[in-house]
């Protein structure tokens, strides 16, 4: 009985502690919009490139518009060959054979950007963090990163 009372008293004291002191620290996302815009513009200037910009902040360069159909919606199924890299040129992913996906299942920059090309088209997407992986690290991609993709829209399926 003595051990039961000791256990009861200990658990009661622990449960009465303020949970505010023990809560995990919540990290708020950072808005990289202005920083990313400057980074993209500096990259374009340094590489003597001209891009178009959508209302969302996506920069794109159409090298070859293509002559096939455009994806008909943000959920179209497409096959895309791509190389993804950071502004410093470090490649983080690529698929030269073609990656087939539904556009609603990829980052927002791809969903928006791929629809700008016709089948057979190619170009570059410069995707700010808010259209990519946001302000937190994700699978080796640092939070706040601008992502650059050389893409070729192989087919609209």
């Amino acid at each position: 009985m003595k051990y039961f009372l000791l256990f009861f008293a200990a658990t009661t004291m622990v449960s009465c502690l303020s949970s505010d002191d023990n809560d995990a620290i919540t990290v708020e996302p950072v808005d990289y919009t202005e920083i990313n815009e400057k980074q993209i513009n500096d990259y374009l200037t340094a590489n003597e490139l001209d891009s178009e910009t959508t209302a969302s902040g996506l920069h794109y360069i159409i090298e070859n518009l293509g002559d096939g159909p455009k994806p008909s919606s943000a959920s179209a199924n497409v096959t895309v060959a791509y190389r993804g890299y950071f502004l410093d040129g470090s490649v983080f992913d690529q698929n030269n054979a073609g990656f087939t996906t539904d556009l609603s299942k990829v980052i927002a920059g791809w969903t928006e950007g791929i629809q700008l090309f016709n089948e057979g088209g190619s170009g570059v997407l410069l995707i700010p963090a808010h259209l990519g992986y946001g302000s937190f690290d994700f699978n080796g991609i640092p939070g706040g990163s601008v992502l650059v993709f050389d893409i070729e829209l192989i087919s609209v399926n």
Side-chain angles (χ1 to χ4, degrees):
M1 181 74 169
K2 175 169 73 171
Y3 294 112
F4 174 75
L5 289 175
L6 184 59
F7 175 75
F8 179 73
T11 56
T12 302
M13 287 190 306
V14 169
S15 67
C16 290
L17 291 174
S18 170
S19 63
D20 293 340
D21 296 335
N22 297 322
D23 286 347
I25 296 172
T26 303
V27 178
E28 294 295 321
V30 175
D31 183 0
Y32 285 94
T33 305
E34 288 182 29
I35 295 167
N36 287 168
E37 184 65 21
K38 181 178 179 342
Q39 291 170 322
I40 291 170
N41 286 324
D42 289 349
Y43 176 85
L44 293 168
T45 299
N47 291 284
E48 299 179 357
L49 298 169
D50 291 317
S51 71
E52 301 292 325
T53 308
T54 67
S56 71
L58 172 71
H59 285 255
Y60 65 97
I61 302 166
I62 296 178
E63 296 167 342
N64 173 14
L65 185 59
D67 55 9
K70 281 189 175 189
S72 59
S73 72
S75 62
N77 188 277
V78 297
T79 301
V80 179
Y82 67 91
R83 181 173 68 111
Y85 51 99
F86 301 113
L87 293 174
D88 69 1
S90 303
V91 175
F92 60 82
D93 194 13
Q94 67 182 19
N95 186 320
N96 297 325
F99 168 69
T100 300
T101 187
D102 178 320
L103 287 177
S104 67
K105 298 186 186 310
V106 293
I107 59 174
W110 262 49
T111 302
E112 181 180 3
I114 299 297
Q115 292 181 81
L116 299 169
F117 296 89
N118 292 9
E119 187 176 84
S122 61
V124 180
L125 301 176
L126 294 109
I127 302 174
H130 69 276
L131 297 174
Y133 294 105
S135 63
F136 300 106
D137 295 355
F138 180 80
N139 286 346
I141 297 174
S145 294
V146 171
L147 308 177
V148 184
F149 286 94
D150 296 332
I151 62 104
E152 177 188 354
L153 179 54
I154 296 171
S155 64
V156 177
N157 307 317

